[in-house]
Amino acid sequence: SAYTKKFRPGIVEMLKGAQKGEFEFLYVHKVDRLARRLEWAIEIAKQIGKEGVVLKAVEQNFDLSTPEGKLMFHLLGSLGEFYSDNLSKETHKGKYERARQGFHNGWVPWGYISEEVENRSLATPDPDLAPIVRQTFERYATGLYYDQEMADWLNSQGYRTRFNRPFTKDALRDLLQNPFYKGDVLYRGQYAQGGKTRRKADAETMKGQHSPIIDEELFNKCQRARAARRRPGWRRPNRSRCRPGCTLPGSATAAWPA
């Protein structure tokens, strides 16, 4: 599965139960269902062994009280780890190829819907939400609003994220920095570190097959508006001096959240 922590919550509770003497035998389907890494499986086996708990696998035969059984346990754990690593490698290879061809991976961003086109999932602008996405970019590009203010505006209109949660400043920031809306696809990939899988910091940008909701000029204006706030001495433009329809230097036409 995609669980990323060292031990699953169920394993943590099991270890606590072993310490309390709540059971004498622990049955797992296979060794690779005990932990994703051989070293973690060994750690678990040692911990419960100290508490007098006997580890058994339903579909695999080994006896940890014997040298042969320990060898079999290590072999089974190694094979499980190899299978997991190889599956991850092949999965990400497929995702990279899909991104290289201009198709999204996983959930499509807010404002898009996924449709089947020639047996491929293609992101298509949502006719109801795409105009709202465009307005969000246009208004933010004026430099008049903070992320939280724009999130509050979306929430006040009754809009929610894909997971039916209120927009936060972080969700709004991610939306405004996502080049998917201007027709690009990002692929970060992953790397292994300390037995964990992490996303790469640098992403590759590919031209997407989907229709953009905004153009590159508007996207760049939003990024400049955000970058300007990090400069020393930056001050937000005076709203009282800019009415709807006026143009701010280096930004889009001002528009007020209703």
Side-chain angles (χ1 to χ4, degrees), residues 11-23:
I11 294 294
V12 174
E13 291 301 315
M14 179 275 295
L15 292 174
K16 292 179 180 179
Q19 292 175 348
K20 297 176 182 178
E22 295 178 352
F23 52 90

Side-chain angles (χ1 to χ4, degrees), residues 1-4 33 36-37 79-97 105 187-193 195-200:
S1 71
Y3 193 76
T4 58
R33 303 314 301 157
R36 293 181 294 111
R37 320 302 300 183
L79 289 172
E81 184 172 326
F82 168 77
Y83 173 80
S84 177
D85 290 347
N86 189 63
L87 178 62
S88 177
K89 176 183 176 182
E90 294 301 318
T91 298
H92 291 293
K93 185 190 299 183
K95 288 183 177 181
Y96 177 76
E97 179 60 24
N105 286 294
Y187 182 80
R188 291 190 182 279
Q190 296 182 340
Y191 66 96
Q193 183 182 62
K196 295 184 178 180
T197 301
R198 304 180 185 278
R199 297 184 68 187
K200 294 181 179 179

Side-chain angles (χ1 to χ4, degrees), residues 123-233:
T124 305
D126 186 315
D128 297 321
L129 296 180
I132 306 303
V133 171
R134 189 177 302 109
Q135 289 181 43
T136 302
F137 274 91
E138 290 173 346
R139 296 177 182 192
Y140 189 85
T142 64
L144 295 174
Y145 306 103
Y146 292 111
D147 293 353
Q148 188 61 59
E149 291 175 319
M150 292 304 304
D152 292 341
W153 172 70
L154 287 171
N155 292 332
S156 69
Q157 304 300 307
Y159 296 111
R160 294 293 183 266
T161 67
R162 173 173 297 282
F163 302 103
N164 199 32
R165 298 171 183 168
F167 278 91
T168 63
K169 62 182 180 63
D170 293 334
L172 198 283
R173 178 199 62 216
D174 291 345
L175 185 153
L176 293 172
Q177 292 183 318
N178 192 346
F180 194 89
Y181 292 107
K182 68 182 179 75
D184 292 335
V185 173
L186 286 184
Y187 182 80
R188 291 190 182 279
Q190 296 182 340
Y191 66 96
Q193 183 182 62
K196 295 184 178 180
T197 301
R198 304 180 185 278
R199 297 184 68 187
K200 294 181 179 179
D202 298 328
E204 292 187 55
T205 303
M206 293 90 161
K207 184 64 178 176
Q209 296 283 351
H210 62 284
S211 299
I213 292 179
I214 62 171
D215 57 34
E216 187 167 359
E217 180 182 1
L218 178 56
F219 181 84
N220 291 337
K221 284 182 178 179
C222 283
Q223 310 320 305
R224 289 197 296 269
R226 179 177 300 280
R229 296 182 179 183
R230 296 193 291 268
R231 297 171 188 162

